[in-house]
Amino acid sequence: MALDLLIENCKGLVQVRDQLTTCVSGKAMSDLPILADAFIAIKDGLISDYGPQSNSPAIAKKVIDATGRFVLPGFVDSHTHLVFAASREEEFVLKIKGATYEQIAAAGGGILNSAKKIQAISEDGLFQKSISRAHEIIRTGTCAVEIKSGYGLTTKDELKMLRVAKRIGAETGLTVRTTFLGAHAVPKETTKPDYIKLIIDEMLPAVAAEKLADYIDVFCETGFFSPSETELVLETGIKYGMRPRIHANQLNNSGGVQVGVKVGAISVDHLENIGDEEIDLLKNNNVMPTALPGAAFFLGLPFPPARKMIDAGLPLAIASDYNPGSAPSGNMPLMISFACIKMKMTPEEAINAATINTASCLELLASHGSVTKGKVASLIITKPVNSLAYLPYSFGSNWIESVILNGKIISQLVC
Ligand code: NIG
Ligand code: FE
């Protein structure tokens, strides 16, 4: 029974966990287990074995020599909006000239701008636009991704987005988890109470009937949805079997963390505007705080207080928020650099945050997030580098040489 793929002479096999474990919190976030001078074997798309190079099996259908290179588990990006119809660089220029995110949104730009474009495009057209982004994130090491709706804002267009998200998973090999985010913005032609009624009476039953969403999300923010509106929508989603996650405390300290804890959200995401009260509340709760450093960077917001959260014993996840308005990049290596440079996380903490902790908040720990026997063989092989810290240090450069997705070599770039 020959192996399908053998990666030999790895300088370090990163995030090796012999046993299935939970997410990592507090001090444990700085523990990133690395097996030096190692091999890893792949069979039927799964990790079948690994260990010291001296124990490497001799034969496999294909062998890669990883001398001088680290091998990491693929990234799990637990927060994206990568299904969208068009970019929004015109708003980017307005922001450079001084407009704020809220001003652009209030003038009909922002999410409503993206909604117009989604409503005008066919499902196939939307798939074609979005799949190139999926291929792009695979090349930068993402192997599992959460994709939200929220730019449809009508029942048919929200369903269209979620169908496209599912199709991306089926056609690329990316593991995709979907989230219904109908409560992302209120369309101009309706009122908020009427729109919330539409979400509850029409959208949620339709999404559930087609089994299109694993999760439900709300943009809980001043000018968007209040904590009590957020709670109502999330509680209704829970009744349809969707676990809640929230856009919380991005632009203001708007009470999103409190709602997240109250409804038992799986994660509260953004957190640019939280204080000690929110950090205290997150202790002793099973809610994963998630930082989206690409959005904080792009909008010039304060970065979430990662150090404070980790030092308080909390876990932390890092995701990209890939979307056309506030984070037009799904590049997880760049997010890890931002985490280290702007949020003072160590390279070990940042890699844990973008692998095992994001896998935990997408309920994918049985298959993703670490190098563990039986998990999917979705791996990153780096270029030859001196040390692990070189990866976040060399921000913006491509340190990935090859990506293996479910045991299949996706790209072998020339160094
Ligand atoms: O996560 N904050 C709300 N949603 C997105 C941005 C959406 C947009 O501007 O298109 C975010 O940042
Ligand atoms: Fe988002």
Side-chain angles (χ1 to χ4, degrees), residues 11-92:
K11 181 185 180 102
L13 195 52
V14 180
Q15 190 66 296
V16 174
R17 309 254 176 191
D18 290 346
Q19 306 293 330
L20 279 187
T21 129
T22 55
C23 67
V24 287
S25 313
K27 279 197 179 36
M29 284 197 69
S30 49
D31 178 24
L32 182 68
I34 300 181
L35 188 63
D37 194 20
F39 79 90
I40 176 164
I42 293 161
K43 177 121 187 77
D44 299 330
L46 302 178
I47 298 170
S48 60
D49 200 6
Y50 57 80
Q53 179 58 35
S54 51
N55 293 352
S56 176
I59 338 171
K61 289 182 196 150
K62 172 143 184 80
V63 178
I64 296 178
D65 180 11
T67 299
R69 294 149 170 90
F70 288 96
V71 174
L72 296 82
F75 296 118
V76 177
D77 189 348
S78 60
H79 182 140
T80 83
H81 310 244
L82 78 70
V83 170
F84 56 86
S87 56
R88 304 211 310 254
E89 62 273 24
E90 64 290 348
E91 295 179 5
F92 168 66

Side-chain angles (χ1 to χ4, degrees), residues 79-81 148 151 181 184 217 247 250 269-270 292 321-323 326:
H79 182 140
T80 83
H81 310 244
K148 299 177 196 294
Y151 291 131
L181 176 61
H184 198 192
D217 192 348
H247 280 72
Q250 179 185 19
D269 301 21
H270 272 293
L292 309 169
D321 198 16
Y322 196 179
N323 77 73
S326 66

Side-chain angles (χ1 to χ4, degrees), residues 218-220 225-235 246 259:
V218 174
F219 188 18
C220 181
F225 294 88
S226 70
S228 59
E229 292 157 352
T230 301
E231 190 179 334
L232 174 65
V233 173
L234 295 179
E235 288 291 1
I246 309 190
V259 184

